[in-house]
Amino acid sequence: MTNEDFMREAIRLSREGVRSGRGGPFGCVVVREGRIVGRGINQVTSACDPTAHAEIVAIREACKALATFQLPDCTLFASCEPCPMCLSAIYWARIPTVYFGNTRQDAADIGFDDDFIYDQIPLPPGERRVSMQPLLPGEARSAFTEWVKKPDKVRY
């Protein structure tokens, strides 16, 4: 299969999502060594889960199929440019290449506007729209101290 074939599958999934009524018009596949190892459609409304974006669903499926939490030898094909949450998940999964169809502006034009999140990220926590207040940082630090001392930790 070619990159175009994989993108067409992501686009097919996006249309499937629209027709099924399970969520927004977004589809995604994760590919490793020329084979699809994860598929996802947006399931935000049907799963009552704001994190059930197509990319997240596909990454979770790929990780489960490959029994790993990192996908450095995979490629992601998304029907739309990933939102900030999905982009973060892509970085955490160590996926090195992403192909996308629609742009974030295309998504904004049909009511999926993530620009406010991009605008909020660089702000100091106290200036964000979501109230973010430090609480018990000294106590919370104890878990970090244990982590630093843990000899058998799995780094990620």
Side-chain angles (χ1 to χ4, degrees):
M1 292 181 72
T2 67
N3 286 346
E4 289 78 9
D5 293 328
F6 294 127
M7 180 57 76
R8 285 187 183 102
E9 176 62 5
I11 293 167
R12 185 192 71 74
L13 290 168
S14 71
R15 289 193 314 266
E16 178 184 313
V18 170
R19 294 173 188 148
S20 72
R22 292 192 283 177
F26 305 99
C28 180
V29 295
V30 175
V31 174
R32 180 176 180 238
E33 297 176 354
R35 183 174 66 90
I36 295 174
V37 294
R39 284 182 170 81
I41 65 170
N42 183 287
Q43 300 172 30
V44 169
T45 57
S46 61
C48 298
D49 180 354
T51 69
H53 290 199
E55 296 91 335
I56 301 295
V57 172
I59 289 169
R60 287 175 180 161
E61 188 175 290
C63 286
K64 188 173 184 176
L66 299 173
T68 184
F69 58 88
Q70 293 185 342
L71 304 169
D73 55 351
C74 293
T75 302
L76 187 138
F77 295 81
S79 64
C80 186
E81 183 178 355
C83 75
M85 176 184 67
C86 294
L87 183 59
S88 296
I90 289 162
Y91 275 99
W92 280 116
R94 308 293 195 257
I95 297 171
T97 305
V98 173
Y99 293 96
F100 61 91
N102 296 306
T103 67
R104 72 190 225 205
Q105 183 58 55
D106 295 331
D109 291 347
I110 63 165
F112 293 93
D113 189 359
D114 300 328
D115 279 344
F116 79 96
I117 299 172
Y118 285 103
D119 293 341
Q120 292 286 301
I121 290 171
L123 296 176
E127 294 179 23
R128 294 180 184 150
R129 187 184 309 176
V130 173
S131 177
M132 300 184 72
Q133 306 295 323
L135 184 63
L136 301 176
E139 291 181 38
R141 202 164 292 114
S142 65
F144 282 14
T145 301
E146 285 184 42
W147 175 258
V148 168
K149 294 177 182 176
K150 185 174 175 57
D152 61 342
K153 61 183 160 256
V154 177
R155 294 188 178 274
Y156 60 96

